Amino acid sequence: MNFGSDNVVGASPRILEALARANAGAAAGYGNDTIAARVTEHLKAIFERDLSVFLVTTGTAANALSLAALTPPWGSVLCHVEAHVNQDECGAPEFFSGGAKLVGLPGLCGKMTPAAVADYIAEASHAPPPHAVKPAALSLTQATEVGTVYTPAEIAELSEIAHRHGLGVHMDGARFANALVRLGVSPAEITWKAGVDILSFGGTKNGCLAVEAIIVFDPARADHLAERRKRAGHLLSKGRFLSAQLDAYLADDHWLDLARHANAMADRLAEGLVARGIRLGLPVQGNEIFAILPAGLHAALKETGFVYYEWPTASLPPEAAPRTGEVVVRLVTSFATTEAEVDQLLGEVARRS
Amino acid sequence: MNFGSDNVVGASPRILEALARANAGAAAGYGNDTIAARVTEHLKAIFERDLSVFLVTTGTAANALSLAALTPPWGSVLCHVEAHVNQDECGAPEFFSGGAKLVGLPGLCGKMTPAAVADYIAEASHAPPPHAVKPAALSLTQATEVGTVYTPAEIAELSEIAHRHGLGVHMDGARFANALVRLGVSPAEITWKAGVDILSFGGTKNGCLAVEAIIVFDPARADHLAERRKRAGHLLSKGRFLSAQLDAYLADDHWLDLARHANAMADRLAEGLVARGIRLGLPVQGNEIFAILPAGLHAALKETGFVYYEWPTASLPPEAAPRTGEVVVRLVTSFATTEAEVDQLLGEVARRS
Amino acid sequence: MNFGSDNVVGASPRILEALARANAGAAAGYGNDTIAARVTEHLKAIFERDLSVFLVTTGTAANALSLAALTPPWGSVLCHVEAHVNQDECGAPEFFSGGAKLVGLPGLCGKMTPAAVADYIAEASHAPPPHAVKPAALSLTQATEVGTVYTPAEIAELSEIAHRHGLGVHMDGARFANALVRLGVSPAEITWKAGVDILSFGGTKNGCLAVEAIIVFDPARADHLAERRKRAGHLLSKGRFLSAQLDAYLADDHWLDLARHANAMADRLAEGLVARGIRLGLPVQGNEIFAILPAGLHAALKETGFVYYEWPTASLPPEAAPRTGEVVVRLVTSFATTEAEVDQLLGEVARRS
Amino acid sequence: MNFGSDNVVGASPRILEALARANAGAAAGYGNDTIAARVTEHLKAIFERDLSVFLVTTGTAANALSLAALTPPWGSVLCHVEAHVNQDECGAPEFFSGGAKLVGLPGLCGKMTPAAVADYIAEASHAPPPHAVKPAALSLTQATEVGTVYTPAEIAELSEIAHRHGLGVHMDGARFANALVRLGVSPAEITWKAGVDILSFGGTKNGCLAVEAIIVFDPARADHLAERRKRAGHLLSKGRFLSAQLDAYLADDHWLDLARHANAMADRLAEGLVARGIRLGLPVQGNEIFAILPAGLHAALKETGFVYYEWPTASLPPEAAPRTGEVVVRLVTSFATTEAEVDQLLGEVARRS
């Protein structure tokens, strides 16, 4: 039973089948295949506007390329201190941008507050150029690193502050679909309509093998992303194998179905834990559950073979903080998680509590 | 009929099937899956020695990471002037290395000569540090950009010069298999036994979807390649989809069979062209044919729908240079090229000549 | 009356005279002049050990080169959040290091605490490589950005934590002399004997025109600093004009005399302010005074023509925080500040209070 | 007797005196001093147009910053293969630009030909983006590395080709004054009127201590040079010491007088050598002489204590190539070279021939 991450599972069968279908015959290389063109058109329809698309294989590449397009080397990127771009990409944004500075802002529930962003920008404005780096981009994670979700209004407020001070807005959407179906809004409403300039549109965690789309809503921001991608070794020669994944992912709302299932499994698991007396550290808004487990229960579950991680985080509200003898753990569900798996974990919890 | 590149075709069915097989169940992410371990063991057996392996999705990534491991930012990389790393990667080696300098050396048939390498190093040795960059790496392409092949003795001689002066040796093996089966030697004989320190072991052009292995023969050279790969966004979370490709590629000598077929198709095409009075610009040693076509025939073939490229190159021996009214074209065969396709092209040539 | 910075004044006359003396005749370029050799010997005597020296013209260059020698691109540099390297160098450490991450730690009085450093390293150790960057260097500022001074014991404790976890230790000594004469210890005691690996030894703020010495106590850390300096455009061809400055600076303890004077002027000013009822926000340990001024007095002083800056800082102990109607200002004295200038300011304060 | 380089001598006394004069009193730091403003106005008058000025201490910094302003990381810089930027700056242009590619073009007499530039650009245009880097800048050296000079017409022709294909034009003017007085034209005529976008205006080799001015004729090209300079550690805090040098350098045409003297000494030396039967390898158009010496004479001169370097160069016209038993040497005169020094060398040559 593996609740360790949404990347320990494979790909959705429909997506694998699409890959096989795409295999036949000759196709133009380097992203110039006909499936790629269809994917772009589909994304335009989904997001209800013109846009540019650049496919890559990892979220790290999508994020780092996006941020490099938004900040000069002498700029800074504001993000939540626990953001993937700040903590888990081995400095990829710094590498791709030529040495920009990431500024990790605190915030409960994995979310930056308008006050924290505005205060930081105000403080930075006191350092006259060229002595300090200049805030150049704001990066939001949707859903956040701790599985919470920014509302359209929250995104709009943060973007408005950013734009007012000349910052571009990036959204790390590695779990975009999970956030979207939870909010029940349109893709446009939590992206460009709320001020997002570039979106890392995730596929891998939600059922693809390895594909993310950099979606640039403002075409002026797309300048040179083709060169940046190639130069970073992220332009696949047999590009059809990326586009085919996204093609199947988007077809018939498959991506939304996959996310709905992962979220439903998260809800089932969260509700089951609460029913068995386990406290949650954070609201479950995507496909991640942060639970506070008694250390004994935790040890027993690990021993039984359940896979998941201890996950200390400063994002917990004070009232949710673990007490002595408790640990914070992260449980992640995916498109492939089954009710049986969830129930097996819940059963074990019941037995051990 | 597409003879434009070996990346216009899809993947070998066996490799696609392996991908589907690898899909089931949970697997450790980020390259820690069991298939990856098996691939490493297989490569050790094939190369008859201990080695380190880092999988990535593109040849550009494999080359740029390899070169970054061999040169400091204040070093230079000697390569053939027409090498892929010098001409076709949008500066990826410069990006990954932090600004090293690529030095393109001339040489007929796409190959650097020992004299050219030795002369350049000797000349560079006159510039005392720290004023000039220091030659730090030699990068050979096997098979070369123009489809020729270095013999074990040629590689050993170049490597010996490089090592004597402190340079590491990299081999860009995007078409490694094609060179290997042509030479009829063991993988070890044209790599570490001949002085190669790091090999970009190609899979994509020879029937995979998108996978290349950076193979480091000297473990000391592998330091920090894990960090470099992650930082460049090239560590796939669902790593099984890379390892599964290589697993099937290596199994039952499938990779050798694929390359033998591509080469055989190249031979058939080359011999057929010669039989029809077409001159070859270069010996056909891999799966690429550089032919000298009368401009009229070239125009007719393009019009008929055959896809391939004009390919001006300084690698042609003087006696092979095109005359007025002739063009140099590159024709590439692949694992998927059929005899029927070759014969169709030859038939068209016969009809038009 | 300019108390704005220690760089608004010119150079000590003795140093200018040395420059003129050094002008005659031919001298080897690029740092190979005989004066440079003498400076190195002098520094060895002063620091009581073997060491390597690299002269540059700015503190930013000295710091950024030093840090680049201590961290790989995938490393992080721990420093006080208000450190010059973090706030005032437009990302120079990021640029020189190839994209390392600076981590600004909080701390009262401009000083990092052992607990803050140890906690950060412990937290970072939970992120397994290669996903996160690895703490690679600790950078202390002596005297700090707010004019306070680390004791030998404090430096030793911080260095010990750093070394235990594999981090190198850098000291930004732009105001090294001011700290040294305040502490009344030997240069060795607050540098290599306390664990410092590389020191930016400041000259400019303390009476030179433009010279800083990168002093590397551990020769192994000096690898490639010559190449890094050249590549950054910081190797002066007429190097004698750098070495001559330092030569005069060090001769006859001139550097210590200059710093003693600046500190004495700071003391005179601080004591005078306190005597006139002005609170100090921080202890005066170098040549910087952080005073809490009533807004009215501040306005009057500025209007009268006194030059200095408002300087909000999180380094103030809570009890020293400004109340409504107060501002925090920074006053800096230098080797050239006169008693008359100090008394003029104090007189104005008395008149306006 | 030192004819090794124009940087083995000190500074012109007038410039040293100006430094001393500039020392008194407080001055705004970081280039905001009043002398800097005066220098900018003076340069506008000299160049007869509006322009932006950025002072730095080395030619390497001036060149690397200028080129970084003209090329993106995925661009290339065309220059003569023996250009200082290509051979003698340890990869500084690559470092400052974030990994751009320098392309060394051949050419006799140290000069690129229009044909070589046009051919390279034409060839590069065949590689469609984003696979290859794009030619982004042309860098001319005036006077060249081998002491020759581009005429206004030659500069204009090269610039026209560059601009027609979207390349910016940089001039490395480390010896700009020597070229200028030789040509007898106005500064405008060999810079912006001939198409130069950015000029590294040299001071150090021609009598300053250490100062070069980056002069940007097209203000749009100056974007972010302030940030780039700071980030590279090249913004001096006591900026008056840079501006004071240039102020005295420009005053009363001092810079032209210094260059005229250096050139006159070069002429005297060259004519004297020819009169004594020594062949020149290249025309003497600046302050550098490339002479072909019998090996025996060379050995005798070195033994007598004359300092200069053997300087093999591919820039020699075929008819000037050294024969067996001859060596090519470079002799450099400067503002400080005396007739007596020249005559002493000539006397020695006469005695030894």
Side-chain angles (χ1 to χ4, degrees), chain B residues 86-105:
Chain B
N86 194 39
Q87 296 284 11
D88 299 294
E89 301 187 348
C90 203
E94 289 89 340
F95 175 44
F96 281 67
S97 67
K101 187 185 282 284
L102 269 76
V103 175
L105 299 176

PDB file of all heavy atoms in Angstrom, chain B residues 86-105:
ATOM      1  N   ASN B  86      28.611  21.127 -30.791  1.00  0.00           N
ATOM      2  CA  ASN B  86      29.074  22.455 -31.197  1.00  0.00           C
ATOM      3  C   ASN B  86      28.049  23.201 -32.035  1.00  0.00           C
ATOM      4  O   ASN B  86      27.993  24.425 -32.003  1.00  0.00           O
ATOM      5  CB  ASN B  86      30.384  22.328 -31.989  1.00  0.00           C
ATOM      6  CG  ASN B  86      31.106  23.648 -32.147  1.00  0.00           C
ATOM      7  OD1 ASN B  86      31.137  24.452 -31.223  1.00  0.00           O
ATOM      8  ND2 ASN B  86      31.683  23.891 -33.322  1.00  0.00           N
ATOM      9  N   GLN B  87      27.242  22.457 -32.783  1.00  0.00           N
ATOM     10  CA  GLN B  87      26.405  23.110 -33.786  1.00  0.00           C
ATOM     11  C   GLN B  87      24.905  23.022 -33.529  1.00  0.00           C
ATOM     12  O   GLN B  87      24.156  23.860 -34.022  1.00  0.00           O
ATOM     13  CB  GLN B  87      26.670  22.460 -35.166  1.00  0.00           C
ATOM     14  CG  GLN B  87      28.059  22.636 -35.696  1.00  0.00           C
ATOM     15  CD  GLN B  87      28.304  24.031 -36.252  1.00  0.00           C
ATOM     16  OE1 GLN B  87      27.507  24.932 -36.057  1.00  0.00           O
ATOM     17  NE2 GLN B  87      29.424  24.212 -36.919  1.00  0.00           N
ATOM     18  N   ASP B  88      24.472  22.021 -32.817  1.00  0.00           N
ATOM     19  CA  ASP B  88      23.045  21.718 -32.847  1.00  0.00           C
ATOM     20  C   ASP B  88      22.380  21.656 -31.487  1.00  0.00           C
ATOM     21  O   ASP B  88      21.301  21.102 -31.356  1.00  0.00           O
ATOM     22  CB  ASP B  88      22.832  20.376 -33.571  1.00  0.00           C
ATOM     23  CG  ASP B  88      23.324  20.415 -34.992  1.00  0.00           C
ATOM     24  OD1 ASP B  88      22.740  21.163 -35.788  1.00  0.00           O
ATOM     25  OD2 ASP B  88      24.324  19.746 -35.295  1.00  0.00           O
ATOM     26  N   GLU B  89      23.049  22.183 -30.467  1.00  0.00           N
ATOM     27  CA  GLU B  89      22.449  22.051 -29.138  1.00  0.00           C
ATOM     28  C   GLU B  89      22.209  23.411 -28.489  1.00  0.00           C
ATOM     29  O   GLU B  89      22.041  23.523 -27.288  1.00  0.00           O
ATOM     30  CB  GLU B  89      23.322  21.122 -28.267  1.00  0.00           C
ATOM     31  CG  GLU B  89      23.453  19.735 -28.917  1.00  0.00           C
ATOM     32  CD  GLU B  89      24.162  18.686 -28.074  1.00  0.00           C
ATOM     33  OE1 GLU B  89      24.775  19.046 -27.056  1.00  0.00           O
ATOM     34  OE2 GLU B  89      24.087  17.496 -28.445  1.00  0.00           O
ATOM     35  N   CYS B  90      22.186  24.442 -29.312  1.00  0.00           N
ATOM     36  CA  CYS B  90      21.843  25.796 -28.844  1.00  0.00           C
ATOM     37  C   CYS B  90      22.671  26.212 -27.630  1.00  0.00           C
ATOM     38  O   CYS B  90      22.194  26.926 -26.749  1.00  0.00           O
ATOM     39  CB  CYS B  90      20.344  25.878 -28.528  1.00  0.00           C
ATOM     40  SG  CYS B  90      19.726  27.587 -28.594  1.00  0.00           S
ATOM     41  N   GLY B  91      23.909  25.739 -27.605  1.00  0.00           N
ATOM     42  CA  GLY B  91      24.770  26.157 -26.502  1.00  0.00           C
ATOM     43  C   GLY B  91      24.547  25.401 -25.208  1.00  0.00           C
ATOM     44  O   GLY B  91      24.958  25.867 -24.146  1.00  0.00           O
ATOM     45  N   ALA B  92      23.927  24.234 -25.273  1.00  0.00           N
ATOM     46  CA  ALA B  92      23.688  23.465 -24.045  1.00  0.00           C
ATOM     47  C   ALA B  92      24.982  23.168 -23.278  1.00  0.00           C
ATOM     48  O   ALA B  92      25.021  23.316 -22.051  1.00  0.00           O
ATOM     49  CB  ALA B  92      22.935  22.174 -24.363  1.00  0.00           C
ATOM     50  N   PRO B  93      26.053  22.740 -23.947  1.00  0.00           N
ATOM     51  CA  PRO B  93      27.277  22.481 -23.168  1.00  0.00           C
ATOM     52  C   PRO B  93      27.778  23.742 -22.459  1.00  0.00           C
ATOM     53  O   PRO B  93      28.256  23.666 -21.330  1.00  0.00           O
ATOM     54  CB  PRO B  93      28.278  21.998 -24.229  1.00  0.00           C
ATOM     55  CG  PRO B  93      27.432  21.441 -25.336  1.00  0.00           C
ATOM     56  CD  PRO B  93      26.215  22.331 -25.363  1.00  0.00           C
ATOM     57  N   GLU B  94      27.652  24.881 -23.114  1.00  0.00           N
ATOM     58  CA  GLU B  94      28.052  26.124 -22.470  1.00  0.00           C
ATOM     59  C   GLU B  94      27.154  26.403 -21.262  1.00  0.00           C
ATOM     60  O   GLU B  94      27.622  26.851 -20.217  1.00  0.00           O
ATOM     61  CB  GLU B  94      27.953  27.295 -23.471  1.00  0.00           C
ATOM     62  CG  GLU B  94      29.009  27.294 -24.568  1.00  0.00           C
ATOM     63  CD  GLU B  94      28.612  26.505 -25.825  1.00  0.00           C
ATOM     64  OE1 GLU B  94      27.702  25.661 -25.735  1.00  0.00           O
ATOM     65  OE2 GLU B  94      29.232  26.737 -26.875  1.00  0.00           O
ATOM     66  N   PHE B  95      25.877  26.167 -21.410  1.00  0.00           N
ATOM     67  CA  PHE B  95      24.929  26.417 -20.322  1.00  0.00           C
ATOM     68  C   PHE B  95      25.203  25.499 -19.133  1.00  0.00           C
ATOM     69  O   PHE B  95      25.342  25.945 -17.983  1.00  0.00           O
ATOM     70  CB  PHE B  95      23.512  26.205 -20.854  1.00  0.00           C
ATOM     71  CG  PHE B  95      22.414  26.306 -19.827  1.00  0.00           C
ATOM     72  CD1 PHE B  95      22.401  27.309 -18.878  1.00  0.00           C
ATOM     73  CD2 PHE B  95      21.367  25.394 -19.830  1.00  0.00           C
ATOM     74  CE1 PHE B  95      21.361  27.405 -17.945  1.00  0.00           C
ATOM     75  CE2 PHE B  95      20.340  25.474 -18.906  1.00  0.00           C
ATOM     76  CZ  PHE B  95      20.339  26.481 -17.960  1.00  0.00           C
ATOM     77  N   PHE B  96      25.299  24.214 -19.404  1.00  0.00           N
ATOM     78  CA  PHE B  96      25.460  23.253 -18.306  1.00  0.00           C
ATOM     79  C   PHE B  96      26.814  23.402 -17.616  1.00  0.00           C
ATOM     80  O   PHE B  96      26.943  23.129 -16.424  1.00  0.00           O
ATOM     81  CB  PHE B  96      25.288  21.825 -18.823  1.00  0.00           C
ATOM     82  CG  PHE B  96      23.859  21.409 -19.009  1.00  0.00           C
ATOM     83  CD1 PHE B  96      23.074  21.995 -19.984  1.00  0.00           C
ATOM     84  CD2 PHE B  96      23.272  20.445 -18.213  1.00  0.00           C
ATOM     85  CE1 PHE B  96      21.746  21.623 -20.163  1.00  0.00           C
ATOM     86  CE2 PHE B  96      21.947  20.052 -18.375  1.00  0.00           C
ATOM     87  CZ  PHE B  96      21.189  20.643 -19.364  1.00  0.00           C
ATOM     88  N   SER B  97      27.831  23.787 -18.366  1.00  0.00           N
ATOM     89  CA  SER B  97      29.176  23.875 -17.794  1.00  0.00           C
ATOM     90  C   SER B  97      29.431  25.198 -17.112  1.00  0.00           C
ATOM     91  O   SER B  97      30.467  25.385 -16.478  1.00  0.00           O
ATOM     92  CB  SER B  97      30.213  23.681 -18.901  1.00  0.00           C
ATOM     93  OG  SER B  97      30.171  24.780 -19.799  1.00  0.00           O
ATOM     94  N   GLY B  98      28.508  26.139 -17.226  1.00  0.00           N
ATOM     95  CA  GLY B  98      28.742  27.457 -16.642  1.00  0.00           C
ATOM     96  C   GLY B  98      29.627  28.331 -17.516  1.00  0.00           C
ATOM     97  O   GLY B  98      30.305  29.223 -17.005  1.00  0.00           O
ATOM     98  N   GLY B  99      29.611  28.079 -18.833  1.00  0.00           N
ATOM     99  CA  GLY B  99      30.306  28.988 -19.734  1.00  0.00           C
ATOM    100  C   GLY B  99      31.644  28.502 -20.260  1.00  0.00           C
ATOM    101  O   GLY B  99      32.497  29.325 -20.600  1.00  0.00           O
ATOM    102  N   ALA B 100      31.838  27.193 -20.330  1.00  0.00           N
ATOM    103  CA  ALA B 100      33.069  26.696 -20.960  1.00  0.00           C
ATOM    104  C   ALA B 100      33.050  27.022 -22.457  1.00  0.00           C
ATOM    105  O   ALA B 100      32.023  27.384 -23.015  1.00  0.00           O
ATOM    106  CB  ALA B 100      33.199  25.192 -20.748  1.00  0.00           C
ATOM    107  N   LYS B 101      34.208  26.876 -23.081  1.00  0.00           N
ATOM    108  CA  LYS B 101      34.348  27.255 -24.487  1.00  0.00           C
ATOM    109  C   LYS B 101      34.463  25.987 -25.336  1.00  0.00           C
ATOM    110  O   LYS B 101      35.277  25.119 -25.037  1.00  0.00           O
ATOM    111  CB  LYS B 101      35.620  28.090 -24.624  1.00  0.00           C
ATOM    112  CG  LYS B 101      35.853  28.716 -25.984  1.00  0.00           C
ATOM    113  CD  LYS B 101      37.201  29.416 -26.061  1.00  0.00           C
ATOM    114  CE  LYS B 101      37.231  30.773 -25.392  1.00  0.00           C
ATOM    115  NZ  LYS B 101      36.557  31.819 -26.189  1.00  0.00           N
ATOM    116  N   LEU B 102      33.643  25.893 -26.378  1.00  0.00           N
ATOM    117  CA  LEU B 102      33.781  24.770 -27.307  1.00  0.00           C
ATOM    118  C   LEU B 102      34.680  25.173 -28.462  1.00  0.00           C
ATOM    119  O   LEU B 102      34.494  26.232 -29.056  1.00  0.00           O
ATOM    120  CB  LEU B 102      32.415  24.305 -27.806  1.00  0.00           C
ATOM    121  CG  LEU B 102      31.841  23.186 -26.906  1.00  0.00           C
ATOM    122  CD1 LEU B 102      31.317  23.778 -25.619  1.00  0.00           C
ATOM    123  CD2 LEU B 102      30.820  22.367 -27.604  1.00  0.00           C
ATOM    124  N   VAL B 103      35.642  24.336 -28.736  1.00  0.00           N
ATOM    125  CA  VAL B 103      36.599  24.613 -29.794  1.00  0.00           C
ATOM    126  C   VAL B 103      36.359  23.608 -30.913  1.00  0.00           C
ATOM    127  O   VAL B 103      36.575  22.412 -30.738  1.00  0.00           O
ATOM    128  CB  VAL B 103      38.042  24.479 -29.267  1.00  0.00           C
ATOM    129  CG1 VAL B 103      39.034  24.652 -30.407  1.00  0.00           C
ATOM    130  CG2 VAL B 103      38.301  25.487 -28.160  1.00  0.00           C
ATOM    131  N   GLY B 104      35.884  24.111 -32.040  1.00  0.00           N
ATOM    132  CA  GLY B 104      35.584  23.232 -33.170  1.00  0.00           C
ATOM    133  C   GLY B 104      36.803  23.042 -34.053  1.00  0.00           C
ATOM    134  O   GLY B 104      37.279  23.987 -34.662  1.00  0.00           O
ATOM    135  N   LEU B 105      37.309  21.821 -34.086  1.00  0.00           N
ATOM    136  CA  LEU B 105      38.485  21.527 -34.905  1.00  0.00           C
ATOM    137  C   LEU B 105      38.044  20.981 -36.256  1.00  0.00           C
ATOM    138  O   LEU B 105      37.073  20.241 -36.336  1.00  0.00           O
ATOM    139  CB  LEU B 105      39.374  20.492 -34.193  1.00  0.00           C
ATOM    140  CG  LEU B 105      39.923  20.927 -32.841  1.00  0.00           C
ATOM    141  CD1 LEU B 105      40.696  19.785 -32.190  1.00  0.00           C
ATOM    142  CD2 LEU B 105      40.826  22.151 -32.982  1.00  0.00           C
TER     143      LEU B 105
END
